[in-house]
């Protein structure tokens, strides 16, 4: 398989077109160190560039944490400019996930706090185990979320509830995250990867360029200065030029399963 596996802080496996990225610092509850960000950045670049990868699952190592936040031990004595660079780096990596042309699912297997909640929210879909816990506890540290949390939480759960979670630093359980729309599904821990895989395989069986354009249009809704409906018209038009559109429409008429090439 043609993908880089030599990461220090994450594990990657590629099977059936699904790249599983496991943040692998269980002794530190998978906290997002600079090294984790470097590895995530590398893996996400691979996702963009490697045609063998059709979709991605991100999860955490061990049974306790998805990711318990940014690595607080790297925060000591940050200046204003250093803080801005740290937040900007995190946002760049998470924006690359959100804007990827392939689906990302967060398989949230435990604590998803701070940067962990932000990582999960950058993914297109969140599947949570019954043991998952979500929260943005930054105000406990005299901070605010810096990797997109103030924006994406509002997008997912609405302003009122997001403000409450951001200001109280409350941690919520999986069933509450489901009720709020923060989690798409909640399953027993043992079924987390199977459920995430099932959803991804369903998505990756569809026309890849159409999936990429759905992601673009969904993100366009939240992009300043972009008129979503006009953007959708353009993307619809682009779909009409694809071989996958011809194949999909022919397969329907011929009552057979479409074989999409991603062209
Ligand atoms: N950054 C760095 N290290 C972290 C971490 C983080 N965000 N979260 C956990 N760890 C480390 C702990 O320091 C501890 O390391 P140690 O064994 O070397 O002392 C180890 O992970 C286990 O964590 P611990 O706190 O002992 O586990 P717990 O079960 O008692 O508590 C949490 C779990 C998640 C409630 C607690 O670890 C916590 O509050 N973490 C910070 C969450 C946070 O504020 N995130 C936002 C950061 S901006």
């Amino acid at each position: 398989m043609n993908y880089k596996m030599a990461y220090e802080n994450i594990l990657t496996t590629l099977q059936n077109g699904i790249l599983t990225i496991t943040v692998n610092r269980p002794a530190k509850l998978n906290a997002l160190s600079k090294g984790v960000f470097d590895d995530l950045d590398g893996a996400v670049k691979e996702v963009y560039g490697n045609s063998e990868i059709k979709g991605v699952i991100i999860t955490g190592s061990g049974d306790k944490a998805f990711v318990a936040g940014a690595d607080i031990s790297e925060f000591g004595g940050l200046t204003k400019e250093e803080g801005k660079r740290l937040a900007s780096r995190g946002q760049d990596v998470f924006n690359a996930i959100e804007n990827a042309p392939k689906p990302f699912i967060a398989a949230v297997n435990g604590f998803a706090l701070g940067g962990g909640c932000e990582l999960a929210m950058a993914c297109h879909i969140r599947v949570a185990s019954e043991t998952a816990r979500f929260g943005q506890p930054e105000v406990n540290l005299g901070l605010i979320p810096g990797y997109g949390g103030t924006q994406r939480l509002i997008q997912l759960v609405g302003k009122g509830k997001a403000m409450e979670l951001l200001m109280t630093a409350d941690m919520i359980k999986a069933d509450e995250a489901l009720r709020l729309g923060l989690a798409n599904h909640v399953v027993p821990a043992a079924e987390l990867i199977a459920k995430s895989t099932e959803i991804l395989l369903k998505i990756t069986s569809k026309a890849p360029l159409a999936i990429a354009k759905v992601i673009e249009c969904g993100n366009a809704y939240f992009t300043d200065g972009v008129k979503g409906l006009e953007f959708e018209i353009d993307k619809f038009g682009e779909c009409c030029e694809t071989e996958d559109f011809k194949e999909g429409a022919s397969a329907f008429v011929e009552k057979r399963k479409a074989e999409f090439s991603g062209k």
Side-chain angles (χ1 to χ4, degrees):
M1 278 169 226
N2 183 25
Y3 66 99
K4 182 181 164 190
M5 296 179 69
Y7 296 108
E8 273 179 38
N9 303 286
I10 63 172
L11 306 171
T12 53
T13 57
L14 180 60
Q15 203 175 12
N16 299 325
I18 295 178
L19 183 73
T20 300
I21 299 174
T22 306
V23 181
N24 189 33
R25 300 181 70 215
K28 296 291 177 189
L29 304 188
N30 305 319
L32 298 172
S33 59
K34 182 180 176 304
V36 174
F37 270 114
D38 288 346
D39 288 357
L40 278 177
D41 187 29
V44 172
K45 286 196 169 94
E46 281 190 70
V47 173
Y48 276 67
N50 185 339
S51 60
E52 280 185 55
I53 300 171
K54 312 291 185 198
V56 183
I57 293 173
I58 301 185
T59 192
S61 189
D63 56 11
K64 194 166 169 185
F66 171 70
V67 165
D71 190 327
I72 300 169
S73 69
E74 294 181 355
F75 278 7
L78 286 179
T79 64
K80 178 179 174 183
E81 287 312 313
E82 287 166 344
K84 284 172 74 174
R85 272 200 295 279
L86 187 88
S88 178
R89 166 71 168 156
Q91 288 198 11
D92 285 348
V93 176
F94 289 4
N95 289 345
I97 291 172
E98 183 170 59
N99 294 317
K102 302 172 189 181
F104 275 70
I105 293 186
V108 182
N109 57 314
F111 291 114
L113 302 176
C117 189
E118 291 170 298
L119 172 60
M121 292 193 293
C123 295
H124 305 115
I125 292 171
R126 283 147 296 284
V127 181
S129 74
E130 288 165 345
T131 55
R133 299 286 180 274
F134 295 81
Q136 297 287 165
E138 286 86 351
V139 291
N140 289 332
L141 303 170
L143 285 172
I144 63 167
Y147 304 148
T150 62
Q151 306 301 294
R152 292 193 178 101
L153 192 59
I154 286 178
Q155 291 169 7
L156 285 167
V157 309
K159 188 172 179 186
K161 200 65 203 182
M163 285 297 166
E164 183 182 338
L165 292 172
L166 291 163
M167 292 195 284
T168 60
D170 278 351
M171 216 190 290
I172 58 169
K173 294 183 174 175
D175 56 351
E176 175 74 348
L178 181 69
R179 205 179 59 76
L180 293 176
L182 183 53
N184 295 60
H185 300 273
V186 178
V187 296
E191 294 166 27
L192 181 64
I193 297 301
K195 179 69 180 176
S196 305
T197 303
E198 177 196 317
I199 297 169
L200 258 190
L201 287 177
K202 186 184 282 187
I203 295 170
T204 57
S205 74
K206 316 298 179 192
L209 293 174
I211 296 298
K213 291 180 200 306
V214 166
I215 293 170
E216 278 188 89
C217 288
N219 291 339
Y221 181 86
F222 297 105
T223 307
D224 283 344
V226 175
K227 293 203 167 91
L229 288 172
E230 287 176 18
F231 189 81
E232 186 186 85
I233 289 171
D234 283 344
K235 295 294 145 187
F236 183 90
E238 287 172 23
C239 285
C240 295
E241 286 191 313
T242 65
E243 288 177 23
D244 280 350
F245 167 55
K246 293 184 187 69
E247 166 62 9
S250 307
F252 179 80
V253 172
E254 293 161 19
K255 300 191 187 305
R256 63 177 173 80
K257 193 172 176 300
E259 295 288 339
F260 294 117
S261 63
K263 291 179 184 152

